[in-house]
Amino acid sequence: MVLATHPLSPSKTPTAITTISEFPHNPKTLILHQCKTTKDLNQIHAHLIKTRLLHHPAVAENLLESAAILLPDAMDYALSIFRQIDRPDSSAYNVMIRGLIHKKLNHNAILLFKNMCENSVQLDEFTFPSVLKACSRLGALREGEQIHAQIMKYFGFNSDGFVQNTLIHMYASCGELEIARNVFDEMPRRDVMTWNSILAGYAKNGRWDEVVRLFREMQELGVEFDEVTLISVSTACGRVADLELGEWIDEYVDANGLKGNLALITSLIDMYGKCGQVDTARRLFDQMDRRDVVAWSALISGYSQVNRCREALDLFKKMQEANVEPNEVTMVSVLYSCAALGALETGKWVRFYIKKKKMKLTVILGTALIDFYAKCGSIEGSIEVFDKMPSRNVFSWTALIQGLASNGQGKKALEYFKLMQEKNIDPNDVTFIGILSACSHAGLVDEGRKLFISMSNDYGIEPRIEHYGCMVDILGRAGLIQEAYEFIKNMPIQPNAVVWRTLLASCKAHKNVRIGEESLKNVIRLEPAHSGDCILLSNLYASVGRHDDALRVRNQMKEKGTNKTAPGCSLIELDGEIYEFFAEDNRHPHSKEVYNATEDMMRKIKSAGYVPNVTDARLDAEEEDKEASVSHHSEKLAIAFGLIRTSPGTTIRVSKNLRVCTDCHNATKLISKVFKREIVLRDRNRFHHFKQGSCSCNDYW
DNA sequence: TCACGTCGAC
């Protein structure tokens, strides 16, 4: 019999004439290796029918394997062949189940297994690992348990190693770590796969510490490991910041010539990134001979996690130049970077790209978008995304609630909190940070008190230091300084510097000198003093007319050489380009243009009644330079640059690394009025939406 | 036939 001359390669050029005179010894080679397209498959199938060879189970099985597993798009074809088989045996079923799993049709794989049982087909040791894999992927514990029962029926306790390994993985994937561990402990012989299965199980459940611990145990016992082991372990090293073990793996990989393993190198890149060594990660990345989307994403994420977001975005550009298609995961890190930078235009472009590429709006991607819009001061964007998401979880709700709170829409944040409860989504500790900060922004003192109590009473969530901090802010902001002070004194956990600093800020706003003094003492006791804290007290003295004390604090700071707070830095994005300004920085490429624009801007608002407030000037500035010093604060430079580089009426968006100072706040209010611009200024803590001479924060921040 | 790398709210 001749298989005629027909195209056996994708080039459609006849490449081989294959002669089959009898039942082939090697149907696998014949069918699998020569069948490269669906068309090949068709022709071979036809021949097998004609020659009745299809009735040989081994032949049918191999044809099915071609269709179901090797060819990318022939699952339906495989199913039609399978349905034509009179009484498919276990091999045929096994191939089909594997094929479905291969195509990520896990649910169908389990259904086919059910069908196999109903038709009383003999199960074998090849059936179980496959179908258990489907259960693992779906987290289908009940089905997994039933299959476990079947296994007991078929094999008793002495089932095959493959089967046991997949049982471990199934239980672990379904969150049943103890059962997984029991199976592991009771296995008489464990191979590398066994260890890898349990390691992967711990990893999947976030038990990274256990992954590292178990690997050390493996080494003590002298158990062999392989590249897959190292992937799990190096990933775990990143999560628990075990740089030492991570570096050991890196050296091992180098010494054993494993640099070609893409997944392994990617896990090392991830590990270095998470340990804060992104430059080392970069070196590994640069040495790779092939980089896929995961490798790129891992490095982009590394940069964003150490707050080098501009470099993260640069890398994203390079990724596109390298023609590597980003996926949902890449976009999450990119959006995170845009959010951190306040790069609204770039992020909007990312969203457009997501739509264009028809990427799935997964819960994580949606949440990243909500957070991005909120952090760019565009809360309408957050709500729009939230409404469009096909499914949401506690992260998505919390991101929205937090976004509403920081954008000054406290009441709306509480409405969403109510809605969330109606939808039976349980809030967690972070959600409560969001709603408590909403209460403080909206001045809802009683509501805040109630929620704080309800948190532990109704939800069983123990308040953390952040929750106490929120309560101090709620009380202090409302002028209840004494109550806030007593609240701190009665806290069951030690207050930290942040809590006392919050009270100090309230004392300044409400002119409470006595508690203000004590608050600063406590801040200094808990943390090396920062100039910003001392300036708060100095300004508090000045505000009640105690100028001598104000001066004394400033002089003390000079004498002691108090640590300066990080230099002020503001970012503005124009046409997708991010410009960065530092206070009194002359080295900027647009320096002259910027300083001229700033002076012009200041002149214009002065004639509208602006009076410089130099209390926040640099301490080392000479008296006559103080005005110049505050007028060159980074946010003023960025706003001035925005004014000359955008068309009239455009909203100006600036984000700053520190809290905005009194003088800049006053000036910006006037700028919004004089230049008829909306200005959205994001500072370290919250948003200021300036419009027609006033600010959304009502001058308290 | 089983195990493996990138991502979200303080």
Side-chain angles (χ1 to χ4, degrees):
Chain A
M1 184 210 60
V2 176
L3 262 181
T5 52
H6 66 269
L8 287 168
S9 73
S11 65
K12 293 186 182 169
T13 316
T15 50
I17 301 172
T18 310
T19 308
I20 301 178
S21 50
E22 54 190 22
F23 179 73
H25 294 294
N26 55 348
K28 200 165 192 134
T29 317
L30 246 176
I31 299 171
L32 301 188
H33 292 183
Q34 303 211 8
C35 189
K36 300 226 164 35
T37 66
T38 314
K39 207 172 170 197
D40 297 342
L41 190 72
N42 252 313
Q43 300 200 2
I44 292 178
H45 187 197
H47 275 279
L48 294 176
I49 293 170
K50 231 191 285 178
T51 55
R52 305 185 64 81
L53 272 170
L54 198 58
H55 292 298
H56 285 281
V59 174
E61 186 195 327
N62 284 303
L63 186 71
L64 278 179
E65 188 170 344
S66 279
I69 299 170
L70 295 179
L71 289 179
D73 204 26
M75 197 62 218
D76 287 340
Y77 194 67
L79 278 167
S80 74
I81 300 174
F82 180 73
R83 287 201 198 94
Q84 284 164 25
I85 298 176
D86 189 18
R87 290 166 60 89
D89 63 358
S90 62
S91 300
Y93 268 103
N94 290 344
V95 170
M96 289 308 292
I97 290 173
R98 270 201 301 136
L100 289 165
I101 291 170
H102 189 71
K103 300 281 174 348
K104 299 204 167 73
L105 298 165
N106 300 299
H107 194 73
N108 300 41
I110 293 177
L111 287 176
L112 191 61
F113 173 75
K114 196 166 155 252
N115 178 271
M116 186 177 180
C117 297
E118 284 163 358
N119 290 336
S120 308
V121 179
Q122 178 78 29
L123 308 176
D124 63 22
E125 71 271 30
F126 297 101
T127 316
F128 295 111
S130 310
V131 70
L132 282 171
K133 185 175 180 174
C135 295
S136 300
R137 291 210 188 144
L138 293 168
L141 181 60
R142 280 178 53 104
E143 287 78 1
E145 282 170 339
Q146 288 173 19
I147 293 164
H148 192 178
Q150 296 256 32
I151 292 168
M152 296 302 286
K153 207 173 89 188
Y154 271 80
F155 305 112
F157 286 100
N158 302 316
S159 62
D160 155 291
F162 277 91
V163 174
Q164 305 245 22
N165 291 343
T166 25
L167 271 175
I168 292 174
H169 191 239
M170 183 277 293
Y171 279 116
S173 296
C174 296
E176 296 290 344
L177 279 175
E178 273 184 40
I179 304 177
R181 187 58 191 249
N182 277 342
V183 178
F184 177 85
D185 286 339
E186 280 165 22
M187 275 173 76
R189 292 159 62 95
R190 303 184 190 111
D191 58 14
V192 191
M193 290 282 198
T194 315
W195 287 89
N196 288 347
S197 298
I198 192 85
L199 286 173
Y202 283 121
K204 201 163 247 167
N205 287 277
R207 294 287 307 277
W208 305 106
D209 53 334
E210 198 63 23
V211 175
V212 171
R213 210 191 56 70
L214 216 56
F215 180 65
R216 295 199 188 278
E217 199 178 311
M218 283 174 83
Q219 285 179 300
E220 275 166 30
L221 294 171
V223 177
E224 257 186 68
F225 57 84
D226 67 4
E227 299 172 44
V228 177
T229 322
L230 294 180
I231 292 170
S232 291
V233 178
S234 61
T235 307
C237 288
R239 309 298 166 118
V240 300
D242 191 337
L243 182 58
E244 207 179 313
L245 182 56
E247 282 174 335
W248 181 87
I249 295 173
D250 188 2
E251 282 160 27
Y252 182 93
V253 165
D254 208 22
N256 290 277
L258 303 178
K259 288 267 191 199
N261 185 327
L262 188 57
L264 182 51
I265 300 303
T266 305
S267 74
L268 284 172
I269 288 173
D270 174 61
M271 180 277 296
Y272 277 120
K274 294 217 164 43
C275 291
Q277 310 272 330
V278 73
D279 293 317
T280 312
R282 180 59 180 260
R283 277 196 290 279
L284 272 179
F285 180 84
D286 287 340
Q287 289 164 13
M288 294 170 88
D289 47 25
R290 194 167 66 85
R291 306 175 188 95
D292 65 359
V293 56
V294 184
W296 281 94
S297 305
L299 189 60
I300 290 173
S301 153
Y303 277 110
S304 72
Q305 282 170 43
V306 293
N307 216 2
R308 285 164 63 173
C309 295
R310 292 174 56 132
E311 286 161 276
L313 294 185
D314 286 343
L315 200 64
F316 177 58
K317 267 184 206 154
K318 287 215 175 68
M319 174 178 179
Q320 287 167 293
E321 284 160 17
N323 284 320
V324 178
E325 212 41 23
N327 60 17
E328 290 92 347
V329 180
T330 324
M331 293 327 224
V332 171
S333 292
V334 171
L335 281 168
Y336 178 91
S337 294
C338 293
L341 294 166
L344 182 64
E345 289 311 314
T346 306
K348 276 185 178 167
W349 177 86
V350 170
R351 188 174 178 207
F352 177 75
Y353 190 90
I354 289 167
K355 263 188 208 158
K356 198 177 81 180
K357 295 283 175 185
K358 296 192 169 59
M359 285 186 195
K360 262 176 68 186
L361 192 58
T362 59
V363 182
I364 296 182
L365 184 55
T367 304
L369 273 167
I370 292 172
D371 189 52
F372 151 73
Y373 276 115
K375 290 216 167 81
C376 288
S378 172
I379 195 66
E380 311 78 28
S382 302
I383 294 170
E384 194 197 315
V385 172
F386 183 83
D387 288 339
K388 279 195 182 143
M389 281 169 70
S391 66
R392 316 172 183 97
N393 64 10
V394 62
F395 281 79
S396 339
W397 283 89
T398 305
L400 183 65
I401 288 170
Q402 177 65 43
L404 286 162
S406 66
N407 279 281
Q409 300 196 28
K411 289 210 171 109
K412 207 163 187 176
L414 292 176
E415 281 167 26
Y416 271 95
F417 179 59
K418 231 175 162 180
L419 209 60
M420 171 181 183
Q421 288 165 302
E422 283 166 18
K423 305 254 179 202
N424 286 322
I425 311 275
D426 280 335
N428 63 20
D429 51 341
V430 184
T431 317
F432 273 96
I433 294 174
I435 53 171
L436 288 174
S437 83
C439 290
S440 89
H441 289 278
L444 302 166
V445 181
D446 288 334
E447 192 75 28
R449 283 199 189 100
K450 272 187 214 148
L451 285 164
F452 187 81
I453 292 165
S454 153
M455 174 169 71
S456 42
N457 284 3
D458 304 336
Y459 295 93
I461 299 166
E462 276 309 301
R464 297 202 316 243
I465 193 80
E466 290 88 346
H467 299 100
Y468 288 102
C470 286
M471 268 323 282
V472 171
D473 196 44
I474 289 172
L475 297 168
R477 188 179 290 263
L480 302 167
I481 305 290
Q482 185 65 32
E483 190 182 338
Y485 177 70
E486 275 157 26
F487 182 84
I488 295 179
K489 285 287 176 194
N490 291 326
M491 276 169 58
I493 53 176
Q494 281 296 315
N496 62 9
V498 178
V499 170
W500 285 110
R501 192 176 288 125
T502 304
L503 186 60
L504 174 58
S506 301
C507 290
K508 194 220 156 193
H510 293 284
K511 303 190 170 137
N512 187 322
V513 174
R514 187 179 59 78
I515 295 181
E517 284 169 336
E518 186 168 344
S519 301
L520 181 64
K521 264 187 212 156
N522 281 301
V523 172
I524 292 172
R525 181 173 58 81
L526 292 163
E527 252 183 22
H530 276 271
S531 54
D533 301 323
C534 302
I535 287 169
L536 269 176
L537 184 65
S538 169
N539 290 352
L540 169 54
Y541 282 131
S543 72
V544 295
R546 288 168 62 173
H547 295 287
D548 291 348
D549 287 318
L551 205 62
R552 177 175 52 80
V553 173
R554 287 186 165 252
N555 287 337
Q556 275 172 3
M557 286 170 64
K558 267 191 204 173
E559 282 161 26
K560 286 187 194 156
T562 304
N563 286 341
K564 274 195 195 127
T565 315
C569 171
S570 294
L571 301 176
I572 185 168
E573 181 198 40
L574 301 166
D575 291 330
E577 193 77 33
I578 295 154
Y579 298 86
E580 195 171 32
F581 296 92
F582 289 93
E584 300 184 70
D585 180 15
N586 298 315
R587 288 161 309 174
H588 197 278
H590 303 88
S591 196
K592 198 164 185 311
E593 184 188 4
V594 171
Y595 276 82
N596 286 342
T598 308
E599 268 152 42
D600 187 47
M601 176 180 85
M602 298 311 284
R603 212 170 22 250
K604 281 191 178 129
I605 61 170
K606 263 188 188 168
S607 53
Y610 162 77
V611 180
N613 173 340
V614 296
T615 47
D616 292 323
R618 268 188 301 113
L619 287 174
D620 51 358
E622 296 304 325
E623 275 313 310
E624 59 269 27
D625 291 340
K626 284 197 168 157
E627 186 184 332
S629 165
V630 292
S631 79
H632 296 155
H633 275 177
S634 64
E635 54 270 56
K636 291 203 185 81
L637 302 179
I639 291 170
F641 194 61
L643 279 175
I644 56 166
R645 286 295 189 95
T646 58
S647 48
T650 314
T651 300
I652 294 176
R653 296 169 189 275
V654 170
S655 56
K656 176 172 187 183
N657 64 337
L658 306 175
R659 282 166 80 156
V660 57
C661 83
T662 314
D663 185 69
C664 286
H665 199 267
N666 283 339
T668 311
K669 283 199 285 185
L670 276 161
I671 295 165
S672 73
K673 192 173 168 185
V674 171
F675 291 87
K676 297 194 174 59
R677 295 281 195 124
E678 277 187 55
I679 299 169
V680 181
L681 177 60
R682 182 180 88 183
D683 77 8
R684 194 188 185 87
N685 285 339
R686 60 174 49 79
F687 283 93
H688 302 267
H689 292 257
F690 295 95
K691 200 176 172 180
Q692 292 165 3
S694 59
C695 177
S696 62
C697 78
N698 291 321
D699 301 337
Y700 184 95
W701 69 96

